[in-house]
Amino acid sequence: MTTTAHDLLDWSPEAVIFDCDGTLMDSERHWQEARNRAFREYALQPPPGFADKATGLHYEDCGRLMARSVHKPELAEGLTAALLDHFLALVTDDPATMPGAVQLVRLLSVRLPLAVASNCPRVVVEGSLERAGLREHFQHIVVPDTGDGMRPKPHPDVYAVAARLCGVRPDRALAVEDSLTGVKAARRAGLRVLGVGPRPQGDGAARADLWLPALHAPELVTWAHSCAIRRPLPES
């Protein structure tokens, strides 16, 4: 169920859970370049429209999709490893936040519990937020680590766990996302969703309660200032 902008921005959640890539950190361009480099490493060309299909996927799912898209499923493991290696090199050399991310996170962190729910490896999320000076503002980082049983987005697991760790019911938490994969995951977990960045084509974006062009949209900053302060629960 969608709401109007007035409805969502009149609501005060009890926690806010952010995606990382493309939402807080300007790293989606690094994933795109890493995909291109991995394809080139294997003397392959990405098929038309591949970037749209890959946005927001867990890197292992992306590696498998890369292999399937060029009809070479036997290359899935190699492409996945190359993808991650190239991305780590790029994001280490050029970490950058999305416009408005620092201000919004700082405003909200004194009012509400904050978490990150990401498909990225933990080392990437932790390192990116640390370099951006944002890590201290988040009580929890939730990623689908190998062996913990959590499935990556578009499954709801990371959002469901993040809400629980913040001590709130999913329907009292707000997810902030830039991809349809992430919007779907947050919806499946029962969260309300704010989409940010370029609005995706098609009707998938309608699953978000509201879509704004950036984190520094004036109405979003005003809303952050007005959020009721809620003392965060102690970490378990």
Side-chain angles (χ1 to χ4, degrees):
M1 181 177 68
T2 59
T3 63
T4 66
H6 177 79
D7 289 336
L8 186 66
L9 297 182
D10 272 351
W11 177 61
S12 185
E14 295 176 4
V16 180
I17 303 169
F18 288 85
D19 172 55
C20 188
D21 277 353
T23 301
L24 292 173
M25 301 302 301
D26 186 12
S27 46
E28 189 55 46
R29 59 195 170 91
H30 294 325
W31 280 116
Q32 183 169 339
E33 176 60 20
R35 290 190 293 266
N36 290 338
R37 291 185 183 186
F39 274 125
R40 288 198 298 270
E41 188 174 320
Y42 283 83
L44 300 168
Q45 289 290 329
F50 183 83
D52 291 337
K53 296 177 182 177
T55 299
L57 291 180
H58 187 269
Y59 76 96
E60 292 179 344
D61 291 333
C62 186
R64 287 189 286 268
L65 180 62
M66 291 169 72
R68 290 197 305 271
S69 74
V70 294
H71 309 292
K72 293 183 179 292
E74 70 277 9
L75 296 181
E77 184 175 345
L79 284 168
T80 298
L83 171 64
L84 184 57
D85 286 345
H86 287 302
F87 175 76
L88 289 173
L90 289 163
V91 78
T92 298
D93 289 343
D94 183 26
T97 56
M98 295 298 290
V102 173
Q103 179 190 19
L104 184 65
V105 167
R106 288 176 176 171
L107 278 173
L108 289 175
S109 67
V110 298
R111 293 166 167 79
L112 300 163
L114 300 186
V116 170
S118 174
N119 267 353
C120 274
R122 182 174 296 277
V123 64
V124 173
V125 178
E126 297 270 5
S128 296
L129 294 176
E130 193 69 45
R131 287 190 294 274
L134 294 178
R135 177 63 185 90
E136 64 183 312
H137 297 287
F138 292 97
Q139 292 178 292
H140 306 286
I141 306 293
V142 182
V143 300
D145 288 322
T146 302
D148 62 11
M150 274 193 292
R151 300 167 296 175
K153 305 173 191 177
H155 297 288
D157 303 25
V158 290
Y159 275 111
V161 171
R164 176 175 58 79
L165 290 174
C166 287
V168 304
R169 298 199 323 260
D171 64 340
R172 297 301 306 162
L174 176 67
V176 185
E177 270 287 352
D178 74 305
S179 73
L180 296 183
T181 298
V183 170
K184 185 181 294 185
R187 273 293 186 210
R188 287 175 171 175
L191 282 71
R192 298 176 78 174
V193 186
L194 170 66
V196 294
R199 187 181 178 91
Q201 296 182 347
D203 58 3
R207 300 188 69 170
D209 293 283
L210 172 64
W211 206 285
L212 293 175
L215 293 175
H216 58 4
E219 59 267 52
L220 185 57
V221 175
T222 299
W223 170 82
H225 277 288
S226 70
C227 277
I229 294 178
R230 174 181 180 265
R231 181 178 294 276
L233 296 176
E235 294 190 33
S236 57

